[in-house]
Structure formats: structure tokens, C-alpha cells
Amino acid sequence: MSRGLRGGANPLEEWKARVKGIEAEFRAWMAKQPIHIEAAVTTAVGAVQGAALGGLMGSLAPDGGSPFPMPQPPPNANPQAMASLKQAQALAGGPLVQARNFAVMTGANAGLSCVMRRIRGQEDIQGSMAAAFGSGALFSIVSGMGTPNPVTNAVTTGMAFAVFQGGFFMIGQKFSKPSSEDTYYSRTRSMLHKLGLEKYEKNFKKGLLTDQTLPLLTDSALRDVKIPPGPRLLILDQIKRDPELVQTK
């Protein structure tokens, strides 16, 4: 034990590196799968994350129920009042209700975003808004917010989600606009992000390995810029499989 503490590597760093390696391998595997496989896996992962978040939010109250007091509907309430009550219940349900609602919303958004990205070849505002519209509409239907006009309310909710998502996307693009120097690494950055190897972008820049050099990359060139063997293999394999990376512009 003392020998490990004195001369061994940091266990936390080793664990982080191992997790990063597994994540990179998983992303590389996902990139090689047909669109329906990637969409299914992405949807399932998003749904699990959403269910966990929704369950946590629904458990905030001491009794494990709704964190907000819910009034009872008055006798002979009109449809508009019932619709408003349903909307409030959808946002203030217990753990199981919130877990279901958030699982549908985040799972649908993740899956639709994946499909739009594969179809359009990039992550853009149109695909982001389309995914938000679908997730908002499904959230409205599953949560019961649409009573007594489920179709109309689903479309309205989907449009609201799409508008908000489009606004957030534009704000994010505005604050993350790359500098003129970074335009020489746009395809490289996209490839590394797809493989989960974003941290090696600085290695490419130090070695001046721009997008124009992607068709010429070799194992020795990547080794010279201090990229480990595993990521080198993933990068070279991705370049072979993706013809867009070797196009000269």
C-alpha cells in the first residue's frame, strides 16, 4: 500500500482516464451503428436521465408527493378550468408522475436530436427546434396537459418548446463563436467531439494539424503531438470511415 502511495499513479486520475477511454470507445461504436440503433440507445439513455431528474424533483416534498399544494376541481368545472388544473398537475406531480413526464421529454428530445443530426450531417438550429417540438408535444400528451383539446395543446406546447430551444441555441452559438484561427480546425473539432476526444484539440493545434492535414495523418504524426495510442487508433479509424474528413476545401 505504501509503495502504491509513493510511486504509483494517482488512482483518481487512472479512474478518470479509464472512464474517458470507455466513453470514447462507446461513442466510436455508436458512430458506426445504423441510425435506428443509435437513436434507440440515445433515447433510452436520455429517458433514464430524465426519469432520475423527474423522480428527484417529485420527491422534494417531505411526504414524497407534490411539492406544491394542489386544489381540488370545483363541481361542474368548465373545460378551460379543468385544462388549467391538468397543466398544474403535470408540473407538480409526485415522484412517479414526474419521472414519467421527464423521461418522455428528455428521451424524445435526445432521440430526435440524434436522428436530425444524422440526417442533416450536423447539429444546427433547425434540427434542435424540431427535436424540441417533438419532445414538447409528447410531454403534453403523456402528462395530460391537453385536456380537453389534446392535439391543439400538443402543437402549442411543442411550438413553445421549439421557440425556447431555438433561442437558447442561438445564444449558445453567439457566445461560443469560434475565432478565425479555429476555422482551420472545424472538421477536426467535429471529429474529436464525435469520438469524445475533445481534450486533444489542443494537441492538434500545437502541431499545426489543421483540417487540410487530415488526409495525411499517420500514427507517427499523432504520436509526435503527444496523443496516446488508444485515441490515435480511434482517430485514424474515423478518418478512414468518414469521407467528409478528407475532402479538401
Side-chain angles (χ1 to χ4, degrees):
M1 180 176 178
S2 59
R3 182 180 61 183
L5 291 174
R6 288 196 301 267
N10 188 334
L12 181 59
E13 292 298 327
E14 289 183 353
W15 181 80
K16 287 182 178 179
R18 186 173 301 178
V19 171
K20 283 286 186 181
I22 294 174
E23 182 181 357
E25 292 178 1
F26 177 73
R27 290 193 182 186
W29 176 82
M30 286 279 286
K32 301 173 187 176
Q33 303 308 308
I35 185 172
H36 63 278
I37 298 295
E38 183 180 5
V41 174
T42 303
T43 300
V45 173
V48 170
Q49 293 175 340
L53 176 62
L56 178 62
M57 293 181 61
S59 303
L60 294 178
D63 59 352
S66 169
F68 306 102
M70 291 301 303
Q72 295 298 320
N76 302 322
N78 59 49
Q80 289 76 16
M82 289 299 298
S84 300
L85 180 62
K86 283 288 186 180
Q87 292 177 353
Q89 289 175 339
L91 299 175
L96 294 180
V97 173
Q98 291 283 41
R100 179 201 62 191
N101 293 347
F102 275 79
V104 170
M105 180 174 62
T106 57
N109 187 274
L112 291 172
S113 295
C114 172
V115 172
M116 296 300 297
R117 184 171 61 250
R118 288 286 291 266
I119 292 175
R120 300 180 63 83
Q122 61 180 343
E123 188 171 354
D124 55 15
I125 188 170
Q126 290 86 353
S128 181
M129 291 181 68
F133 177 85
S135 63
L138 286 175
F139 174 78
S140 173
I141 294 172
V142 172
S143 63
M145 291 175 60
T147 305
N149 300 307
V151 175
T152 302
N153 204 76
V155 173
T156 304
T157 305
M159 291 178 63
F161 274 52
V163 169
F164 280 113
Q165 183 68 21
F168 288 135
F169 190 93
M170 293 178 65
I171 293 173
Q173 277 193 325
K174 182 177 180 180
F175 285 99
S176 63
K177 188 175 182 180
S179 64
S180 57
E181 177 189 353
D182 286 344
T183 59
Y184 294 107
Y185 300 91
S186 59
R187 282 179 286 161
T188 300
R189 185 182 307 108
S190 176
M191 174 190 66
L192 294 175
H193 179 76
K194 182 183 293 185
L195 296 174
L197 302 175
E198 301 93 334
K199 67 178 182 179
Y200 294 114
E201 182 180 344
K202 63 180 182 296
N203 301 66
F204 276 78
K205 291 182 177 180
K206 287 180 180 179
L208 299 180
L209 299 177
T210 64
D211 291 345
Q212 299 296 324
T213 68
L214 288 178
L216 309 174
L217 279 185
T218 62
D219 184 79
S220 60
L222 294 174
R223 184 171 61 249
D224 289 343
V225 294
K226 311 299 183 184
I227 296 180
R232 292 203 304 264
L233 292 174
L234 293 174
I235 291 169
L236 293 174
D237 179 70
Q238 185 66 21
I239 292 174
K240 290 179 182 178
R241 293 176 178 274
D242 192 345
E244 294 184 0
L245 293 174
V246 297
Q247 290 178 355
T248 57
K249 296 184 179 180

